């Protein structure tokens, strides 16, 4: 795991976009994000159990598994800023990927996850995802409840979403 401020420069989303300014574990935890490196699947199962997760799936995001056109569409869709109404865990099984999350000041923090990295993202945080320039992420997605897994794209409606409001209250209280 490596975290830094996104450079906001134009160019392919899959490039690192590293501004050179690192983000600390403390900054991430203040946003409600937890991260671990868990090479043992049993540890991931234990984390899921402790946090009350019932569902999981595995996804391989690559042109080889999805087909080139579907892959490009998926990568674009994941990069559309959104939130979920439930906490979610992402466990990278192979390859790597970037999660961008919004800071308190509404800037992008980029989190690079590699094999065996785990991230717990709180409900209501605005985020987006992309593969890197190797175009390959194999990940386990763990979620508590099926319907709440739906991505809600940022807009006037999500600003009024109760999970969003709850998250902002938590985040601003933690500062
Ligand atoms: C999300 O919540 O945006 C995703 O799950 C992206 C794909 S999982 C690596
Ligand atoms: Ni998401």
């Amino acid at each position: 795991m490596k975290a830094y401020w996104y450079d906001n420069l134009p160019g392919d989303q899959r490039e690192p976009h590293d501004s050179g300014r690192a983000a600390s574990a403390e900054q991430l935890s203040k946003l409600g994000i937890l991260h671990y490196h868990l090479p043992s699947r049993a540890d991931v199962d234990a984390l899921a159990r402790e946090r009350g997760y019932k569902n999981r799936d595995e996804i391989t995001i690559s042109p080889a598994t999805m087909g080139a056109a579907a892959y490009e569409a998926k990568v674009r869709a994941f990069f559309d800023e959104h939130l979920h109404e439930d906490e979610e865990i992402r466990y990278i099984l192979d390859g790597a990927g970037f999660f961008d999350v919004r800071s308190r000041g509404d800037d992008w923090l980029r989190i690079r996850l590699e094999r065996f990295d785990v991230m717990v993202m709180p409900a209501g945080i605005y985020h987006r995802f992309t593969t890197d320039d190797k175009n390959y992420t194999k990940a386990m997605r763990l979620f508590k409840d099926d319907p709440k897994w739906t991505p809600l794209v940022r807009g006037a409606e999500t600003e009024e979403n109760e999970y969003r409001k709850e998250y902002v209250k938590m985040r601003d209280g933690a500062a």
Side-chain angles (χ1 to χ4, degrees), residues 67-129:
Y71 170 74
E72 290 299 331
K74 204 71 181 160
V75 161
R76 267 197 306 279
F78 282 142
F79 207 61
D80 218 358
E81 180 173 3
H82 62 274
L83 61 74
H84 305 279
E85 294 187 337
D86 218 342
E87 178 189 283
E88 54 185 46
I89 299 179
R90 296 291 177 270
Y91 180 47
I92 304 300
L93 299 168
D94 202 9
F98 297 117
F99 275 95
D100 296 339
V101 299
R102 287 290 190 186
S103 70
R104 285 191 83 203
D106 217 21
D107 290 315
W108 286 118
L109 266 176
R110 176 157 276 202
I111 302 165
R112 178 177 171 80
L113 298 181
E114 297 181 353
R115 192 172 187 220
F116 300 145
D117 285 339
V118 186
M119 186 171 69
V120 183
M121 255 204 300
I125 191 172
Y126 285 129
H127 65 279
R128 62 187 185 187
F129 172 82

Short mmCIF file of all heavy atoms in Angstrom, two decimals, residues 67-129:
data_model
loop_
_atom_site.label_atom_id
_atom_site.label_comp_id
_atom_site.label_asym_id
_atom_site.label_seq_id
_atom_site.Cartn_x
_atom_site.Cartn_y
_atom_site.Cartn_z
N GLY A 67 -12.65 -9.15 -22.29
CA GLY A 67 -12.73 -8.65 -23.65
C GLY A 67 -12.36 -7.17 -23.64
O GLY A 67 -12.70 -6.46 -22.68
N ALA A 68 -11.67 -6.74 -24.67
CA ALA A 68 -11.10 -5.38 -24.67
C ALA A 68 -12.15 -4.28 -24.49
O ALA A 68 -11.97 -3.37 -23.68
CB ALA A 68 -10.32 -5.16 -25.96
N ALA A 69 -13.26 -4.39 -25.21
CA ALA A 69 -14.26 -3.31 -25.16
C ALA A 69 -14.94 -3.27 -23.79
O ALA A 69 -15.12 -2.20 -23.20
CB ALA A 69 -15.29 -3.50 -26.26
N ALA A 70 -15.31 -4.46 -23.28
CA ALA A 70 -15.97 -4.52 -21.97
C ALA A 70 -15.01 -4.04 -20.87
O ALA A 70 -15.42 -3.37 -19.92
CB ALA A 70 -16.43 -5.94 -21.68
N TYR A 71 -13.74 -4.40 -21.02
CA TYR A 71 -12.74 -3.96 -20.05
C TYR A 71 -12.66 -2.43 -20.01
O TYR A 71 -12.72 -1.83 -18.93
CB TYR A 71 -11.37 -4.56 -20.38
CG TYR A 71 -10.25 -3.95 -19.58
CD1 TYR A 71 -10.09 -4.27 -18.23
CD2 TYR A 71 -9.38 -3.03 -20.16
CE1 TYR A 71 -9.08 -3.68 -17.48
CE2 TYR A 71 -8.36 -2.45 -19.41
CZ TYR A 71 -8.21 -2.77 -18.08
OH TYR A 71 -7.23 -2.18 -17.34
N GLU A 72 -12.53 -1.82 -21.17
CA GLU A 72 -12.42 -0.35 -21.21
C GLU A 72 -13.67 0.30 -20.61
O GLU A 72 -13.58 1.29 -19.89
CB GLU A 72 -12.20 0.14 -22.65
CG GLU A 72 -10.83 -0.20 -23.22
CD GLU A 72 -9.64 0.40 -22.45
OE1 GLU A 72 -9.80 1.47 -21.84
OE2 GLU A 72 -8.58 -0.25 -22.44
N ALA A 73 -14.83 -0.27 -20.89
CA ALA A 73 -16.08 0.28 -20.35
C ALA A 73 -16.11 0.16 -18.83
O ALA A 73 -16.53 1.07 -18.12
CB ALA A 73 -17.28 -0.42 -20.97
N LYS A 74 -15.67 -0.99 -18.32
CA LYS A 74 -15.67 -1.25 -16.89
C LYS A 74 -14.71 -0.30 -16.17
O LYS A 74 -15.04 0.26 -15.12
CB LYS A 74 -15.24 -2.71 -16.64
CG LYS A 74 -15.73 -3.29 -15.34
CD LYS A 74 -17.22 -3.52 -15.40
CE LYS A 74 -17.75 -4.07 -14.09
NZ LYS A 74 -19.19 -3.88 -13.93
N VAL A 75 -13.54 -0.13 -16.74
CA VAL A 75 -12.53 0.74 -16.14
C VAL A 75 -13.03 2.19 -16.09
O VAL A 75 -12.82 2.90 -15.11
CB VAL A 75 -11.19 0.60 -16.92
CG1 VAL A 75 -10.27 1.78 -16.67
CG2 VAL A 75 -10.49 -0.69 -16.53
N ARG A 76 -13.74 2.58 -17.14
CA ARG A 76 -14.32 3.94 -17.13
C ARG A 76 -15.41 4.05 -16.07
O ARG A 76 -15.51 5.04 -15.35
CB ARG A 76 -14.90 4.30 -18.50
CG ARG A 76 -13.91 5.02 -19.40
CD ARG A 76 -14.61 5.72 -20.56
NE ARG A 76 -15.46 4.80 -21.34
CZ ARG A 76 -14.99 3.98 -22.28
NH1 ARG A 76 -13.70 3.97 -22.58
NH2 ARG A 76 -15.81 3.19 -22.94
N ALA A 77 -16.25 3.00 -15.95
CA ALA A 77 -17.36 3.04 -14.98
C ALA A 77 -16.84 3.08 -13.54
O ALA A 77 -17.34 3.85 -12.72
CB ALA A 77 -18.27 1.84 -15.18
N PHE A 78 -15.84 2.27 -13.25
CA PHE A 78 -15.27 2.25 -11.89
C PHE A 78 -14.66 3.60 -11.53
O PHE A 78 -14.53 3.95 -10.36
CB PHE A 78 -14.19 1.17 -11.77
CG PHE A 78 -14.69 -0.24 -11.60
CD1 PHE A 78 -14.04 -1.29 -12.23
CD2 PHE A 78 -15.80 -0.52 -10.80
CE1 PHE A 78 -14.48 -2.61 -12.07
CE2 PHE A 78 -16.24 -1.83 -10.64
CZ PHE A 78 -15.58 -2.87 -11.28
N PHE A 79 -14.25 4.36 -12.56
CA PHE A 79 -13.57 5.64 -12.30
C PHE A 79 -14.56 6.80 -12.18
O PHE A 79 -14.17 7.94 -11.99
CB PHE A 79 -12.56 5.91 -13.42
CG PHE A 79 -11.40 6.78 -12.99
CD1 PHE A 79 -10.53 6.36 -11.98
CD2 PHE A 79 -11.16 8.01 -13.59
CE1 PHE A 79 -9.46 7.15 -11.58
CE2 PHE A 79 -10.08 8.81 -13.20
CZ PHE A 79 -9.23 8.38 -12.19
N ASP A 80 -15.84 6.47 -12.29
CA ASP A 80 -16.87 7.48 -12.10
C ASP A 80 -17.05 7.65 -10.59
O ASP A 80 -17.35 6.67 -9.89
CB ASP A 80 -18.18 6.95 -12.73
CG ASP A 80 -18.97 8.03 -13.40
OD1 ASP A 80 -18.54 9.19 -13.36
OD2 ASP A 80 -20.02 7.70 -13.97
N GLU A 81 -16.84 8.84 -10.09
CA GLU A 81 -16.90 9.06 -8.63
C GLU A 81 -18.24 8.64 -8.05
O GLU A 81 -19.29 9.02 -8.56
CB GLU A 81 -16.66 10.55 -8.35
CG GLU A 81 -16.69 10.88 -6.88
CD GLU A 81 -16.28 12.32 -6.60
OE1 GLU A 81 -16.03 13.09 -7.56
OE2 GLU A 81 -16.21 12.68 -5.41
N HIS A 82 -18.19 7.83 -6.98
CA HIS A 82 -19.43 7.30 -6.41
C HIS A 82 -19.28 7.00 -4.93
O HIS A 82 -18.19 7.09 -4.37
CB HIS A 82 -19.83 6.02 -7.17
CG HIS A 82 -18.83 4.90 -7.07
ND1 HIS A 82 -17.77 4.76 -7.91
CD2 HIS A 82 -18.74 3.85 -6.20
CE1 HIS A 82 -17.06 3.70 -7.58
NE2 HIS A 82 -17.63 3.12 -6.54
N LEU A 83 -20.38 6.61 -4.32
CA LEU A 83 -20.35 6.12 -2.94
C LEU A 83 -21.19 4.85 -2.86
O LEU A 83 -21.91 4.49 -3.79
CB LEU A 83 -20.85 7.18 -1.94
CG LEU A 83 -22.28 7.73 -2.04
CD1 LEU A 83 -23.34 6.76 -1.56
CD2 LEU A 83 -22.38 9.01 -1.23
N HIS A 84 -21.04 4.16 -1.73
CA HIS A 84 -21.88 3.00 -1.44
C HIS A 84 -22.54 3.23 -0.09
O HIS A 84 -21.97 3.92 0.77
CB HIS A 84 -21.06 1.70 -1.38
CG HIS A 84 -20.26 1.44 -2.60
ND1 HIS A 84 -20.80 0.91 -3.74
CD2 HIS A 84 -18.96 1.67 -2.89
CE1 HIS A 84 -19.86 0.80 -4.67
NE2 HIS A 84 -18.73 1.26 -4.18
N GLU A 85 -23.68 2.62 0.10
CA GLU A 85 -24.41 2.80 1.35
C GLU A 85 -23.99 1.82 2.42
O GLU A 85 -24.61 1.70 3.46
CB GLU A 85 -25.92 2.71 1.10
CG GLU A 85 -26.43 3.85 0.24
CD GLU A 85 -27.94 3.86 0.13
OE1 GLU A 85 -28.57 2.80 0.32
OE2 GLU A 85 -28.48 4.94 -0.16
N ASP A 86 -22.95 1.06 2.13
CA ASP A 86 -22.44 0.12 3.11
C ASP A 86 -20.92 0.15 3.09
O ASP A 86 -20.32 0.51 2.07
CB ASP A 86 -22.94 -1.30 2.76
CG ASP A 86 -23.29 -2.10 4.01
OD1 ASP A 86 -22.85 -1.72 5.11
OD2 ASP A 86 -24.01 -3.09 3.85
N GLU A 87 -20.33 -0.22 4.23
CA GLU A 87 -18.88 -0.39 4.26
C GLU A 87 -18.50 -1.51 3.29
O GLU A 87 -19.28 -2.43 3.08
CB GLU A 87 -18.47 -0.77 5.68
CG GLU A 87 -17.00 -1.03 5.86
CD GLU A 87 -16.69 -1.62 7.23
OE1 GLU A 87 -16.69 -0.86 8.21
OE2 GLU A 87 -16.47 -2.84 7.30
N GLU A 88 -17.31 -1.41 2.71
CA GLU A 88 -16.88 -2.49 1.83
C GLU A 88 -15.41 -2.80 2.04
O GLU A 88 -14.62 -1.93 2.40
CB GLU A 88 -17.17 -2.14 0.38
CG GLU A 88 -16.59 -0.81 -0.07
CD GLU A 88 -16.98 -0.44 -1.49
OE1 GLU A 88 -18.16 -0.57 -1.82
OE2 GLU A 88 -16.10 -0.02 -2.24
N ILE A 89 -15.06 -4.07 1.83
CA ILE A 89 -13.68 -4.51 1.93
C ILE A 89 -13.21 -4.94 0.55
O ILE A 89 -13.94 -5.62 -0.17
CB ILE A 89 -13.53 -5.68 2.93
CG1 ILE A 89 -13.97 -5.24 4.34
CG2 ILE A 89 -12.09 -6.18 2.97
CD1 ILE A 89 -13.89 -6.36 5.40
N ARG A 90 -12.01 -4.51 0.20
CA ARG A 90 -11.41 -4.93 -1.05
C ARG A 90 -10.08 -5.60 -0.75
O ARG A 90 -9.25 -5.03 -0.04
CB ARG A 90 -11.17 -3.72 -1.96
CG ARG A 90 -12.45 -3.03 -2.39
CD ARG A 90 -13.25 -3.91 -3.34
NE ARG A 90 -14.52 -3.29 -3.70
CZ ARG A 90 -15.64 -3.47 -3.02
NH1 ARG A 90 -15.66 -4.20 -1.92
NH2 ARG A 90 -16.75 -2.89 -3.42
N TYR A 91 -9.90 -6.80 -1.30
CA TYR A 91 -8.69 -7.59 -1.05
C TYR A 91 -8.06 -7.92 -2.41
O TYR A 91 -8.69 -8.57 -3.24
CB TYR A 91 -9.09 -8.87 -0.31
CG TYR A 91 -7.96 -9.81 0.04
CD1 TYR A 91 -6.78 -9.36 0.60
CD2 TYR A 91 -8.10 -11.18 -0.19
CE1 TYR A 91 -5.76 -10.24 0.94
CE2 TYR A 91 -7.08 -12.07 0.15
CZ TYR A 91 -5.91 -11.59 0.71
OH TYR A 91 -4.90 -12.46 1.04
N ILE A 92 -6.86 -7.43 -2.62
CA ILE A 92 -6.21 -7.63 -3.92
C ILE A 92 -5.53 -9.01 -3.93
O ILE A 92 -4.66 -9.29 -3.11
CB ILE A 92 -5.17 -6.51 -4.20
CG1 ILE A 92 -5.83 -5.12 -4.12
CG2 ILE A 92 -4.50 -6.74 -5.56
CD1 ILE A 92 -6.96 -4.87 -5.09
N LEU A 93 -5.96 -9.84 -4.86
CA LEU A 93 -5.44 -11.20 -4.96
C LEU A 93 -4.25 -11.29 -5.91
O LEU A 93 -3.38 -12.15 -5.77
CB LEU A 93 -6.55 -12.14 -5.45
CG LEU A 93 -7.78 -12.22 -4.54
CD1 LEU A 93 -8.92 -12.93 -5.23
CD2 LEU A 93 -7.42 -12.94 -3.24
N ASP A 94 -4.23 -10.40 -6.89
CA ASP A 94 -3.14 -10.40 -7.86
C ASP A 94 -3.18 -9.09 -8.63
O ASP A 94 -4.23 -8.44 -8.72
CB ASP A 94 -3.31 -11.60 -8.82
CG ASP A 94 -1.99 -12.00 -9.47
OD1 ASP A 94 -0.92 -11.47 -9.07
OD2 ASP A 94 -2.03 -12.84 -10.38
N GLY A 95 -2.05 -8.71 -9.21
CA GLY A 95 -2.00 -7.45 -9.92
C GLY A 95 -2.02 -6.29 -8.93
O GLY A 95 -1.62 -6.44 -7.77
N ALA A 96 -2.53 -5.15 -9.38
CA ALA A 96 -2.55 -3.95 -8.54
C ALA A 96 -3.65 -3.03 -9.03
O ALA A 96 -4.23 -3.25 -10.11
CB ALA A 96 -1.20 -3.25 -8.62
N GLY A 97 -3.95 -2.03 -8.24
CA GLY A 97 -4.96 -1.06 -8.66
C GLY A 97 -4.90 0.18 -7.78
O GLY A 97 -4.24 0.19 -6.74
N PHE A 98 -5.58 1.21 -8.23
CA PHE A 98 -5.63 2.47 -7.48
C PHE A 98 -7.06 2.75 -7.03
O PHE A 98 -7.98 2.74 -7.86
CB PHE A 98 -5.20 3.63 -8.36
CG PHE A 98 -3.79 3.57 -8.87
CD1 PHE A 98 -3.53 3.48 -10.23
CD2 PHE A 98 -2.70 3.64 -7.99
CE1 PHE A 98 -2.23 3.45 -10.72
CE2 PHE A 98 -1.39 3.62 -8.47
CZ PHE A 98 -1.16 3.52 -9.84
N PHE A 99 -7.22 3.06 -5.76
CA PHE A 99 -8.46 3.66 -5.27
C PHE A 99 -8.17 5.12 -4.97
O PHE A 99 -7.21 5.43 -4.25
CB PHE A 99 -8.94 2.97 -3.99
CG PHE A 99 -9.76 1.74 -4.24
CD1 PHE A 99 -9.17 0.49 -4.23
CD2 PHE A 99 -11.11 1.84 -4.50
CE1 PHE A 99 -9.92 -0.65 -4.47
CE2 PHE A 99 -11.87 0.70 -4.75
CZ PHE A 99 -11.28 -0.55 -4.73
N ASP A 100 -8.97 6.00 -5.52
CA ASP A 100 -8.89 7.42 -5.18
C ASP A 100 -10.03 7.73 -4.23
O ASP A 100 -11.18 7.34 -4.50
CB ASP A 100 -9.04 8.29 -6.43
CG ASP A 100 -7.90 8.09 -7.43
OD1 ASP A 100 -6.83 7.62 -7.03
OD2 ASP A 100 -8.11 8.43 -8.61
N VAL A 101 -9.72 8.40 -3.13
CA VAL A 101 -10.76 8.77 -2.16
C VAL A 101 -10.71 10.26 -1.91
O VAL A 101 -9.64 10.88 -1.97
CB VAL A 101 -10.60 7.99 -0.82
CG1 VAL A 101 -10.70 6.48 -1.04
CG2 VAL A 101 -9.29 8.33 -0.13
N ARG A 102 -11.84 10.84 -1.62
CA ARG A 102 -11.90 12.28 -1.37
C ARG A 102 -11.44 12.63 0.04
O ARG A 102 -11.86 12.01 1.02
CB ARG A 102 -13.34 12.78 -1.57
CG ARG A 102 -13.79 12.83 -3.01
CD ARG A 102 -13.08 13.91 -3.78
NE ARG A 102 -13.69 14.09 -5.10
CZ ARG A 102 -13.20 14.90 -6.02
NH1 ARG A 102 -12.09 15.61 -5.80
NH2 ARG A 102 -13.80 15.01 -7.19
N SER A 103 -10.60 13.63 0.13
CA SER A 103 -10.14 14.14 1.42
C SER A 103 -11.21 15.07 2.02
O SER A 103 -12.21 15.37 1.37
CB SER A 103 -8.85 14.93 1.22
OG SER A 103 -9.15 16.13 0.52
N ARG A 104 -10.95 15.56 3.22
CA ARG A 104 -11.88 16.52 3.85
C ARG A 104 -12.05 17.75 2.97
O ARG A 104 -13.13 18.32 2.89
CB ARG A 104 -11.34 16.96 5.21
CG ARG A 104 -11.48 15.93 6.29
CD ARG A 104 -11.18 16.56 7.62
NE ARG A 104 -12.35 17.24 8.15
CZ ARG A 104 -12.30 18.22 9.03
NH1 ARG A 104 -11.16 18.65 9.49
NH2 ARG A 104 -13.41 18.77 9.47
N GLY A 105 -10.97 18.18 2.33
CA GLY A 105 -11.03 19.36 1.48
C GLY A 105 -11.51 19.05 0.07
O GLY A 105 -11.43 19.90 -0.81
N ASP A 106 -11.98 17.82 -0.15
CA ASP A 106 -12.52 17.37 -1.43
C ASP A 106 -11.44 17.22 -2.50
O ASP A 106 -11.72 17.31 -3.70
CB ASP A 106 -13.64 18.30 -1.91
CG ASP A 106 -14.77 17.54 -2.61
OD1 ASP A 106 -14.89 16.32 -2.37
OD2 ASP A 106 -15.50 18.16 -3.39
N ASP A 107 -10.20 16.99 -2.09
CA ASP A 107 -9.15 16.64 -3.04
C ASP A 107 -9.05 15.13 -3.14
O ASP A 107 -9.56 14.41 -2.27
CB ASP A 107 -7.80 17.21 -2.57
CG ASP A 107 -7.78 18.73 -2.68
OD1 ASP A 107 -8.22 19.26 -3.72
OD2 ASP A 107 -7.34 19.38 -1.71
N TRP A 108 -8.35 14.64 -4.15
CA TRP A 108 -8.18 13.19 -4.31
C TRP A 108 -6.91 12.71 -3.63
O TRP A 108 -5.83 13.25 -3.83
CB TRP A 108 -8.08 12.80 -5.78
CG TRP A 108 -9.36 12.84 -6.55
CD1 TRP A 108 -9.63 13.63 -7.63
CD2 TRP A 108 -10.53 12.03 -6.34
NE1 TRP A 108 -10.91 13.35 -8.09
CE2 TRP A 108 -11.46 12.38 -7.32
CE3 TRP A 108 -10.88 11.03 -5.41
CZ2 TRP A 108 -12.73 11.79 -7.40
CZ3 TRP A 108 -12.12 10.44 -5.49
CH2 TRP A 108 -13.04 10.82 -6.47
N LEU A 109 -7.08 11.66 -2.84
CA LEU A 109 -5.95 10.91 -2.28
C LEU A 109 -5.90 9.60 -3.06
O LEU A 109 -6.92 8.94 -3.18
CB LEU A 109 -6.23 10.58 -0.82
CG LEU A 109 -5.70 11.52 0.23
CD1 LEU A 109 -6.16 11.06 1.60
CD2 LEU A 109 -4.19 11.52 0.19
N ARG A 110 -4.74 9.25 -3.57
CA ARG A 110 -4.64 8.00 -4.34
C ARG A 110 -3.98 6.92 -3.48
O ARG A 110 -2.93 7.13 -2.90
CB ARG A 110 -3.86 8.23 -5.63
CG ARG A 110 -3.64 6.95 -6.41
CD ARG A 110 -3.40 7.20 -7.88
NE ARG A 110 -4.67 7.34 -8.61
CZ ARG A 110 -4.82 7.16 -9.90
NH1 ARG A 110 -3.78 6.85 -10.67
NH2 ARG A 110 -6.01 7.30 -10.48
N ILE A 111 -4.63 5.77 -3.44
CA ILE A 111 -4.13 4.63 -2.66
C ILE A 111 -3.80 3.51 -3.64
O ILE A 111 -4.69 3.03 -4.35
CB ILE A 111 -5.20 4.16 -1.65
CG1 ILE A 111 -5.58 5.31 -0.72
CG2 ILE A 111 -4.69 2.95 -0.85
CD1 ILE A 111 -6.86 5.05 0.08
N ARG A 112 -2.54 3.14 -3.67
CA ARG A 112 -2.14 2.03 -4.54
C ARG A 112 -2.16 0.73 -3.75
O ARG A 112 -1.52 0.61 -2.70
CB ARG A 112 -0.73 2.26 -5.09
CG ARG A 112 -0.26 1.12 -5.95
CD ARG A 112 1.11 1.36 -6.57
NE ARG A 112 1.59 0.14 -7.21
CZ ARG A 112 1.20 -0.26 -8.42
NH1 ARG A 112 0.35 0.48 -9.12
NH2 ARG A 112 1.65 -1.39 -8.93
N LEU A 113 -2.95 -0.23 -4.22
CA LEU A 113 -3.04 -1.52 -3.54
C LEU A 113 -2.40 -2.59 -4.41
O LEU A 113 -2.63 -2.63 -5.63
CB LEU A 113 -4.51 -1.89 -3.29
CG LEU A 113 -5.32 -0.98 -2.37
CD1 LEU A 113 -6.73 -1.53 -2.23
CD2 LEU A 113 -4.69 -0.83 -1.01
N GLU A 114 -1.62 -3.43 -3.78
CA GLU A 114 -0.98 -4.54 -4.49
C GLU A 114 -1.41 -5.86 -3.86
O GLU A 114 -2.19 -5.87 -2.91
CB GLU A 114 0.54 -4.37 -4.45
CG GLU A 114 0.96 -3.10 -5.19
CD GLU A 114 2.45 -2.85 -5.22
OE1 GLU A 114 3.21 -3.60 -4.56
OE2 GLU A 114 2.86 -1.90 -5.92
N ARG A 115 -0.88 -6.94 -4.39
CA ARG A 115 -1.25 -8.28 -3.95
C ARG A 115 -1.25 -8.41 -2.43
O ARG A 115 -0.27 -8.03 -1.77
CB ARG A 115 -0.26 -9.28 -4.54
CG ARG A 115 -0.68 -10.71 -4.39
CD ARG A 115 0.26 -11.59 -5.18
NE ARG A 115 -0.27 -12.95 -5.15
CZ ARG A 115 0.48 -14.04 -5.01
NH1 ARG A 115 1.78 -13.94 -4.93
NH2 ARG A 115 -0.08 -15.22 -4.97
N PHE A 116 -2.35 -8.92 -1.89
CA PHE A 116 -2.56 -9.18 -0.46
C PHE A 116 -2.82 -7.92 0.36
O PHE A 116 -2.87 -7.98 1.59
CB PHE A 116 -1.41 -10.00 0.15
CG PHE A 116 -1.22 -11.34 -0.49
CD1 PHE A 116 0.06 -11.88 -0.63
CD2 PHE A 116 -2.30 -12.08 -0.95
CE1 PHE A 116 0.25 -13.13 -1.22
CE2 PHE A 116 -2.12 -13.32 -1.55
CZ PHE A 116 -0.84 -13.85 -1.69
N ASP A 117 -2.93 -6.77 -0.29
CA ASP A 117 -3.36 -5.57 0.44
C ASP A 117 -4.87 -5.63 0.62
O ASP A 117 -5.60 -6.04 -0.30
CB ASP A 117 -2.99 -4.30 -0.34
CG ASP A 117 -1.50 -3.97 -0.26
OD1 ASP A 117 -0.83 -4.45 0.68
OD2 ASP A 117 -1.02 -3.21 -1.12
N VAL A 118 -5.31 -5.19 1.77
CA VAL A 118 -6.74 -5.14 2.09
C VAL A 118 -7.09 -3.71 2.48
O VAL A 118 -6.36 -3.07 3.22
CB VAL A 118 -7.08 -6.00 3.33
CG1 VAL A 118 -8.59 -6.05 3.55
CG2 VAL A 118 -6.52 -7.37 3.21
N MET A 119 -8.22 -3.24 1.99
CA MET A 119 -8.68 -1.92 2.39
C MET A 119 -10.14 -2.01 2.83
O MET A 119 -10.95 -2.65 2.18
CB MET A 119 -8.54 -0.95 1.24
CG MET A 119 -8.88 0.47 1.65
SD MET A 119 -8.47 1.68 0.38
CE MET A 119 -9.67 1.25 -0.84
N VAL A 120 -10.43 -1.36 3.95
CA VAL A 120 -11.80 -1.25 4.44
C VAL A 120 -12.24 0.19 4.21
O VAL A 120 -11.63 1.12 4.76
CB VAL A 120 -11.91 -1.61 5.93
CG1 VAL A 120 -13.37 -1.56 6.39
CG2 VAL A 120 -11.30 -2.98 6.22
N MET A 121 -13.27 0.36 3.39
CA MET A 121 -13.75 1.70 3.07
C MET A 121 -15.10 1.95 3.70
O MET A 121 -16.00 1.13 3.57
CB MET A 121 -13.88 1.84 1.55
CG MET A 121 -12.77 2.66 0.95
SD MET A 121 -13.26 3.37 -0.60
CE MET A 121 -13.62 1.90 -1.51
N PRO A 122 -15.24 3.08 4.39
CA PRO A 122 -16.51 3.33 5.06
C PRO A 122 -17.66 3.64 4.09
O PRO A 122 -17.42 4.12 2.98
CB PRO A 122 -16.21 4.58 5.91
CG PRO A 122 -15.10 5.26 5.22
CD PRO A 122 -14.28 4.18 4.56
N ALA A 123 -18.86 3.36 4.52
CA ALA A 123 -20.04 3.74 3.76
C ALA A 123 -20.03 5.26 3.60
O ALA A 123 -19.63 5.99 4.50
CB ALA A 123 -21.30 3.32 4.51
N GLY A 124 -20.44 5.72 2.44
CA GLY A 124 -20.65 7.16 2.25
C GLY A 124 -19.45 7.94 1.77
O GLY A 124 -19.57 9.13 1.48
N ILE A 125 -18.26 7.30 1.67
CA ILE A 125 -17.08 8.03 1.20
C ILE A 125 -17.12 8.08 -0.34
O ILE A 125 -17.43 7.08 -0.99
CB ILE A 125 -15.76 7.39 1.70
CG1 ILE A 125 -14.58 8.32 1.44
CG2 ILE A 125 -15.54 6.00 1.11
CD1 ILE A 125 -13.26 7.84 2.08
N TYR A 126 -16.83 9.23 -0.90
CA TYR A 126 -16.72 9.32 -2.36
C TYR A 126 -15.39 8.73 -2.79
O TYR A 126 -14.34 9.04 -2.21
CB TYR A 126 -16.78 10.79 -2.80
CG TYR A 126 -18.15 11.40 -2.76
CD1 TYR A 126 -18.38 12.61 -2.12
CD2 TYR A 126 -19.23 10.78 -3.39
CE1 TYR A 126 -19.63 13.20 -2.10
CE2 TYR A 126 -20.49 11.36 -3.37
CZ TYR A 126 -20.69 12.57 -2.73
OH TYR A 126 -21.93 13.15 -2.71
N HIS A 127 -15.44 7.88 -3.81
CA HIS A 127 -14.24 7.23 -4.29
C HIS A 127 -14.38 6.81 -5.75
O HIS A 127 -15.48 6.91 -6.33
CB HIS A 127 -13.92 5.99 -3.43
CG HIS A 127 -14.95 4.91 -3.54
ND1 HIS A 127 -16.13 4.94 -2.84
CD2 HIS A 127 -15.00 3.78 -4.29
CE1 HIS A 127 -16.84 3.88 -3.14
NE2 HIS A 127 -16.19 3.15 -4.03
N ARG A 128 -13.29 6.32 -6.29
CA ARG A 128 -13.28 5.76 -7.65
C ARG A 128 -12.12 4.78 -7.72
O ARG A 128 -11.23 4.81 -6.85
CB ARG A 128 -13.14 6.88 -8.70
CG ARG A 128 -11.84 7.65 -8.59
CD ARG A 128 -11.81 8.84 -9.53
NE ARG A 128 -10.49 9.49 -9.47
CZ ARG A 128 -10.19 10.63 -10.06
NH1 ARG A 128 -11.11 11.28 -10.77
NH2 ARG A 128 -8.96 11.14 -9.98
N PHE A 129 -12.14 3.93 -8.72
CA PHE A 129 -11.12 2.89 -8.84
C PHE A 129 -10.58 2.84 -10.27
O PHE A 129 -11.32 3.09 -11.22
CB PHE A 129 -11.72 1.51 -8.49
CG PHE A 129 -10.78 0.38 -8.78
CD1 PHE A 129 -9.78 0.04 -7.87
CD2 PHE A 129 -10.86 -0.33 -9.97
CE1 PHE A 129 -8.88 -0.99 -8.15
CE2 PHE A 129 -9.96 -1.37 -10.26
CZ PHE A 129 -8.97 -1.69 -9.34
#
